Amino acid sequence: MKGHQVTIIDIAKKLGISKSTVSRALTNNPNVNPETRKAVLEMAKTLDYQPNMLALGLIKNETRMLGVIIPDIQKPFFAAIVSGIQHAVGRMGYRTIIAQSDESPQIEKENIQALMLSRVDGFLICHTRDTRNFDQIKLLYQKGFPLVSFARICQGLPIPKVVEDDFNGLYTTTQHLIERGRKRIALLAGPKHLQASKLRQQGYLSALRQNGIGFDNELVAHTRFLADDVAVAVNRWLALAEPPDAICTIYDGGAVQVMQLLKSRGVNVPGDIAVAGFGNDPASGLVEPGLTTFEQRPYEIGQAAGKHMLDILKKRFGDVPPEITISEGRLVVRGST
Amino acid sequence: MKGHQVTIIDIAKKLGISKSTVSRALTNNPNVNPETRKAVLEMAKTLDYQPNMLALGLIKNETRMLGVIIPDIQKPFFAAIVSGIQHAVGRMGYRTIIAQSDESPQIEKENIQALMLSRVDGFLICHTRDTRNFDQIKLLYQKGFPLVSFARICQGLPIPKVVEDDFNGLYTTTQHLIERGRKRIALLAGPKHLQASKLRQQGYLSALRQNGIGFDNELVAHTRFLADDVAVAVNRWLALAEPPDAICTIYDGGAVQVMQLLKSRGVNVPGDIAVAGFGNDPASGLVEPGLTTFEQRPYEIGQAAGKHMLDILKKRFGDVPPEITISEGRLVVRGST
DNA sequence: AACATTCCCGCAACCGTTCCCATATGGTGT
DNA sequence: ACACCATATGGGAACGGTTGCGGGAATGTT
């Protein structure tokens, strides 16, 4: 059982002085006799005094805690982002409360509510794949909470955002496949309404257009990033009169699943169909053949998001420009193409 | 900028009653007129009142926050544990502050200090691979903090612990290799002082002994779970007059590295040397050939740890037995053996 | 009608800290 | 001797809630 907490009053009593003086001594206030300060500091050490952050937070109205909302910590992408955020804000003494939405907009909403009650000093949010209603985050904005949006961002709010190199990534990857002589390039996309998915699809389309390759609607499949969606898409493509000779995906997880499906069907990769991914997840270097993919550095995305948050927290009064940071990537060519 | 926070005093003023009554109405205290309560509740809603958890925490001396200390959130094992913990304690309204020690005992110590100041209601700790001094966690115990130790546990403290199926895992895996006809089975272990590594090594030794296979000290290598250590070990084994015909590892990450090294040396797996792992990390199903491994379910380990914590928090006064939970596993046989 | 009981409600203390204001003390300038 | 100032300290309000205690009004009991 936790016994009595040592408070500044205990120190004051032991020393026969007032708690005001103890407080001043502890906070490096100059209006205190050096000898008194020394005595207080010593007594604090011998009593093993620990300041009560709750009381302090009540006065200052800050907790030095940041709320981080992500869909799923078990995805390497989000884990790396979290790590980047923590290392960025940790240096300034901020702690992070991680909340998982499990890709549920409802849980996302509840998490925001709960963290608001916990009086976190700010939010770093990556929405679920299904979030279409941004009322909650707008509410946060209205209430004046420092906000940073990353990866799956909320548009239309003047807050800092950090995103992946979406357009460029798929443009580069598609270009690469075309250079490898592929003519019928399929695209495994994400949810239609998701901005990141849209941009990646635009990159893909742009590369096709620029190379005079006609766009075939049959070759684009939208998924919710679920294994079943991928299987349906691959089955459909393989059943086509003219199946694709390459499959470009907007996420590595999907690419790995595509490769496994093709392998089980006896389709040779890259001989019959080349496969490319996006992200350079740990998995992409492990599969056989290695997956060609557009590398992203989620750790750095996290760091950038964390730094934006620190900027807001610091300048609290001189508004921070709602800068949008694009995390640069590069193509990693492996055996799958 | 965050404007004025709505407090119970605001509600009280608007309604012309005292803040005590408002407080009682809001906390379902029976000593309040149903009509008054209704009025308060309505006013709270129209004013969008949010209770201040800091003030509440100051009184109750609790934060409903739990500190979780892990070496590295980017390791799938720890990410899954964190997820399990969060889902277990989240139902009871507890939030988790995740702190990474980056495998540094010093940072681990600092994290514990910082979270103590933040007045978390309890700690769930997995130590670094190098932690040998457990003074910090013992201090926490003395101070009466609810404590749960998992995976890399602190022995000698009467607190709940959740561990992997260490002994049994390596016993089973080694037995499997022997059944496959392997005679010279090497062991890639972890740090010598780490309890989990010790137990796994004992499982390995036990299986050898039981099958009348002599123990060869040359065939055991200790690592700090680093890639360089693995390379050194593999090089040493391959240079032996009588190289091993199987390599058993105590962690999947090491097994994957071993397989890559062997492949780059032109050694056939499992033809020349069989390889087995521990954990069933996501990677083990992706490599070629698939890695035979002893499955662990880190998500469940996290859940068990979270439940232990809830038990302590609930029974606060009727001590909880310092139970040790072993998370059962099973052998997953794939191509590498 | 007098008294006990119940029901609501307000007052004030408290949690641990910061910070403004008042005050005592001693030294300096005139 | 007096006003004046700097320095060091104490007192108390404030942050936003909870809670024990006491009191007044309404009701029930004899």
Side-chain angles (χ1 to χ4, degrees):
Chain A
M1 194 76 339
K2 274 191 270 192
H4 173 68
Q5 313 274 351
V6 178
T7 73
I8 57 169
I9 299 184
D10 295 320
I11 299 180
K13 275 186 190 157
K14 284 259 183 193
L15 259 38
I17 58 179
S18 79
K19 61 175 182 165
S20 313
T21 305
V22 175
S23 172
R24 272 187 286 262
L26 256 20
T27 53
N28 286 329
N29 187 312
N31 294 335
V32 58
N33 191 313
E35 286 178 29
T36 313
R37 158 163 300 132
K38 190 155 158 285
V40 168
L41 258 29
E42 271 177 20
M43 185 56 73
K45 182 143 281 181
T46 63
L47 255 44
D48 190 25
Y49 166 75
Q50 311 271 9
N52 188 325
M53 290 305 179
L54 289 172
L56 216 158
L58 188 55
I59 294 173
K60 298 268 181 76
N61 200 27
E62 69 166 26
T63 54
R64 298 195 85 72
M65 304 252 181
L66 265 17
V68 176
I69 296 179
I70 51 170
D72 180 2
I73 189 72
Q74 293 199 60
K75 293 261 163 54
F77 177 70
F78 295 120
I81 287 184
V82 164
S83 193
I85 292 175
Q86 289 197 336
H87 286 140
V89 303
R91 287 175 301 111
M92 296 303 290
Y94 282 93
R95 303 264 137 207
T96 52
I97 304 179
I98 314 296
Q100 302 184 72
S101 61
D102 298 336
E103 298 283 12
S104 152
Q106 177 59 26
I107 298 181
E108 176 178 298
K109 181 177 166 179
E110 292 167 7
N111 281 335
I112 291 179
Q113 288 282 0
L115 291 182
M116 240 174 71
L117 286 189
S118 297
R119 289 289 202 279
V120 292
D121 289 345
F123 284 86
L124 297 106
I125 302 184
C126 173
H127 295 281
T128 77
R129 66 171 170 244
D130 298 324
T131 302
R132 302 168 109 124
N133 179 331
F134 294 95
D135 287 352
Q136 279 301 310
I137 186 173
K138 283 175 185 161
L139 187 69
L140 289 180
Y141 180 75
Q142 281 166 21
K143 296 211 176 209
F145 278 95
L147 247 43
V148 173
S149 186
F150 61 90
R152 300 187 196 150
I153 61 174
C154 166
Q155 296 174 79
L157 228 42
I159 56 174
K161 304 172 180 72
V162 185
V163 296
E164 297 176 86
D165 205 353
D166 300 311
F167 180 94
N168 197 32
L170 258 95
Y171 176 85
T172 308
T173 310
T174 308
Q175 188 73 37
H176 164 77
L177 286 168
I178 294 170
E179 281 164 15
R180 284 286 198 265
R182 307 292 166 158
K183 303 287 183 195
R184 277 183 67 71
I185 303 172
L187 177 72
L188 189 79
K192 271 184 187 152
H193 64 93
L194 200 64
Q195 174 71 356
S197 179
K198 276 191 224 166
L199 285 173
R200 291 179 205 184
Q201 183 169 355
Q202 284 169 19
Y204 158 84
L205 291 174
S206 177
L208 289 188
R209 200 176 314 117
Q210 202 159 320
N211 287 273
I213 299 182
F215 163 63
D216 183 350
N217 199 34
E218 289 258 59
L219 292 183
V220 173
H222 290 276
T223 72
R224 291 179 67 227
F225 302 129
L226 300 176
D228 286 351
D229 302 340
V230 178
V232 169
V234 169
N235 285 341
R236 191 157 59 74
W237 286 330
L238 290 184
L240 287 178
E242 227 186 321
D245 56 7
I247 298 176
C248 202
T249 72
I250 71 156
Y251 66 111
D252 274 0
V256 169
Q257 283 158 18
V258 166
M259 282 178 61
Q260 284 169 342
L261 286 165
L262 293 181
K263 198 177 292 184
S264 73
R265 297 293 207 81
V267 179
N268 181 277
V269 175
D272 301 324
I273 298 181
V275 177
F278 183 100
N280 199 24
D281 284 4
S284 54
L286 297 172
V287 291
E288 198 99 5
L291 179 66
T292 292
T293 188
F294 191 77
E295 181 182 58
Q296 294 286 185
R297 299 199 186 83
Y299 181 84
E300 289 173 11
I301 292 177
Q303 282 198 313
K307 280 182 192 144
H308 278 308
M309 179 52 74
L310 290 181
D311 282 347
I312 307 179
L313 258 14
K314 210 180 336 182
K315 306 197 182 154
R316 212 70 190 82
F317 289 98
D319 276 324
V320 175
E323 201 176 327
I324 181 158
T325 305
I326 299 178
S327 170
E328 268 183 47
R330 69 186 175 93
L331 191 68
V332 176
V333 180
R334 296 203 184 88
S336 72
T337 56
Chain B
M1 197 76 340
K2 274 191 269 194
H4 172 68
Q5 313 273 350
V6 178
T7 73
I8 56 169
I9 299 184
D10 295 319
I11 300 180
K13 276 186 190 156
K14 285 257 182 193
L15 258 38
I17 57 179
S18 78
K19 63 174 184 170
S20 319
T21 305
V22 176
S23 171
R24 274 188 280 262
L26 256 20
T27 54
N28 285 330
N29 186 312
N31 294 336
V32 57
N33 190 312
E35 286 178 28
T36 313
R37 158 162 302 132
K38 190 158 158 283
V40 169
L41 257 30
E42 271 177 20
M43 185 57 73
K45 182 144 281 181
T46 62
L47 258 43
D48 189 26
Y49 165 75
Q50 312 271 9
N52 188 324
M53 291 305 180
L54 288 172
L56 217 159
L58 187 57
I59 295 172
K60 297 268 180 74
N61 200 29
E62 69 167 26
T63 54
R64 298 194 86 72
M65 303 252 182
L66 264 17
V68 176
I69 296 179
I70 51 170
D72 180 3
I73 189 71
Q74 293 200 59
K75 293 260 163 55
F77 177 70
F78 294 120
I81 288 184
V82 164
S83 193
I85 292 175
Q86 289 198 336
H87 286 141
V89 303
R91 286 175 304 110
M92 297 302 290
Y94 283 92
R95 304 263 138 209
T96 51
I97 305 179
I98 313 297
Q100 302 184 73
S101 61
D102 297 336
E103 297 283 12
S104 152
Q106 175 60 26
I107 297 181
E108 176 177 300
K109 181 177 167 179
E110 291 168 6
N111 280 336
I112 292 179
Q113 289 282 1
L115 291 182
M116 240 174 72
L117 286 189
S118 297
R119 289 287 201 281
V120 292
D121 289 345
F123 284 87
L124 297 104
I125 302 183
C126 173
H127 295 281
T128 76
R129 65 171 170 245
D130 298 324
T131 302
R132 303 168 109 122
N133 179 332
F134 294 96
D135 287 353
Q136 280 299 311
I137 187 173
K138 283 176 185 163
L139 185 69
L140 288 179
Y141 181 76
Q142 282 167 21
K143 296 211 174 208
F145 277 95
L147 248 42
V148 173
S149 186
F150 61 90
R152 301 186 195 150
I153 60 174
C154 166
Q155 294 174 80
L157 227 43
I159 57 175
K161 305 172 181 72
V162 185
V163 295
E164 297 177 86
D165 205 353
D166 300 310
F167 179 94
N168 196 32
L170 258 94
Y171 176 85
T172 306
T173 309
T174 308
Q175 187 73 36
H176 164 76
L177 287 168
I178 294 170
E179 280 164 15
R180 284 285 198 265
R182 308 292 166 159
K183 303 287 184 194
R184 277 184 66 71
I185 303 172
L187 177 72
L188 189 78
K192 271 183 187 156
H193 65 95
L194 200 64
Q195 174 71 355
S197 179
K198 275 191 224 166
L199 284 174
R200 292 180 204 184
Q201 183 169 356
Q202 284 168 21
Y204 158 84
L205 291 173
S206 176
L208 289 189
R209 201 176 314 119
Q210 201 158 319
N211 287 274
I213 299 182
F215 164 62
D216 183 350
N217 199 34
E218 290 257 60
L219 292 182
V220 173
H222 290 275
T223 72
R224 292 179 67 227
F225 302 129
L226 300 176
D228 286 350
D229 302 341
V230 178
V232 169
V234 169
N235 286 340
R236 190 155 60 73
W237 285 331
L238 290 184
L240 287 179
E242 227 186 321
D245 56 8
I247 298 176
C248 202
T249 72
I250 72 156
Y251 66 110
D252 274 1
V256 169
Q257 283 158 19
V258 165
M259 282 179 60
Q260 285 170 342
L261 287 164
L262 293 181
K263 198 176 293 185
S264 73
R265 297 292 208 80
V267 178
N268 183 277
V269 176
D272 302 323
I273 298 182
V275 178
F278 183 101
N280 199 24
D281 283 4
S284 55
L286 297 173
V287 291
E288 198 101 3
L291 179 66
T292 291
T293 187
F294 191 77
E295 181 183 56
Q296 294 287 181
R297 299 200 186 83
Y299 182 84
E300 289 173 11
I301 292 178
Q303 281 199 313
K307 279 183 192 142
H308 278 307
M309 178 52 74
L310 290 181
D311 282 347
I312 307 180
L313 257 14
K314 210 179 335 182
K315 306 198 182 151
R316 212 71 189 82
F317 290 97
D319 277 325
V320 174
E323 202 177 325
I324 180 156
T325 305
I326 298 179
S327 171
E328 268 183 48
R330 70 187 174 93
L331 190 68
V332 176
V333 179
R334 296 202 183 90
S336 71
T337 56

